Amino acid sequence: MYTPAAFRSEDPDWIFSHVERHDFGLLVSATPLTVSHLPFQLVRPQGDAPARLVCHVARANPHWQAFAGQGAEALAVFQGPHAYVSSSWYGAQPSVPTWNYDAVQAVGHATLIEDPAEIAVQMRAMAATYEPTPGFDMDAQPADYMAKMFRGLVGISLEVRQWTGKRKQSQNRPPADRIAVAAALEARGDHAAAAALREANGLA
């Protein structure tokens, strides 16, 4: 990902928070070139253990085969708020339109999780994160039914060796232009994009 210094974020707290907020991402493998749209669970670094990204695919999805055996390199991509920015909003001219956005990429070694017990742990963690209360209760389902469901899934664990964070939020514009862009985005109804711009630039 092309990341000029003005837009680069190396803050692990922001990177991890971004992934947790925008956790439906892309898993990309190179051989063969394959992309899957998946929900991810971030396991933050613990001691000497690096951060991991855990996801799963249906066994019928051939993407998991790219990581069979010794595993393989993979890329995960997490896109956040984004918006078209009109140059008519700038006070400083001449200027051209652009696009603002937040994004995080993670590169690492992906391996498979095929033990149904481990997949069950993964599914419990996901349900605990997203299910309303009351909601889906895994323990209330027939055991043989759930066992069949787990056998139909393949987990993937990506041990991340490199994070790249990018916040392209008008940091290269004069302060007055940043304020004006945030106000224009709000007026257009792009509230998430406006909030991301304000956060990235420390605007109230």
Side-chain angles (χ1 to χ4, degrees):
M1 177 166 59
Y2 173 59
T3 314
F7 306 134
R8 185 179 306 127
S9 177
E10 299 178 342
D11 178 2
D13 288 335
W14 179 79
I15 288 173
F16 294 154
S17 294
H18 175 93
V19 171
E20 289 168 340
R21 288 195 307 265
H22 308 286
D23 49 3
F24 190 78
L26 300 177
L27 178 68
V28 185
S29 61
T31 308
L33 180 58
T34 310
V35 179
S36 290
H37 301 251
L38 304 168
F40 287 80
Q41 298 170 55
L42 172 66
V43 181
R44 294 197 180 211
Q46 299 175 357
D48 294 331
R52 291 186 302 119
L53 291 165
V54 182
C55 58
H56 67 278
V57 298
R59 190 170 289 276
N61 180 346
H63 196 173
W64 67 268
Q65 297 173 20
F67 312 114
Q70 299 300 309
E73 289 287 281
L75 168 72
V77 182
F78 303 91
Q79 182 174 288
H82 60 92
Y84 177 83
V85 175
S86 171
S87 57
S88 67
W89 300 340
Y90 299 149
Q93 299 291 342
S95 58
V96 295
T98 190
W99 207 282
N100 279 3
Y101 61 93
D102 286 345
V104 168
Q105 291 187 176
V107 176
H109 189 74
T111 55
L112 299 181
I113 302 170
E114 296 192 78
D115 181 352
E118 289 189 53
I119 293 174
V121 170
Q122 183 182 348
M123 295 301 99
R124 286 181 187 279
M126 181 171 288
T129 300
Y130 296 107
E131 274 295 323
T133 302
F136 171 76
D137 183 356
M138 189 180 298
D139 294 324
Q141 311 307 311
D144 56 344
Y145 172 79
M146 292 308 304
K148 180 181 178 181
M149 293 296 103
F150 296 148
R151 289 194 300 271
L153 300 175
V154 180
I156 300 169
S157 176
L158 177 64
E159 186 174 287
V160 181
R161 62 173 173 78
Q162 181 182 9
W163 294 96
T164 304
K166 185 172 183 178
R167 309 200 74 183
K168 185 179 179 297
Q169 298 292 350
S170 300
Q171 298 97 319
N172 59 330
R173 301 298 306 178
D177 283 357
R178 302 177 206 177
I179 294 170
V181 170
L185 290 171
E186 284 284 6
R188 196 174 67 188
D190 285 333
H191 305 299
L197 186 153
R198 290 194 175 101
E199 180 185 302
N201 289 282
L203 302 175

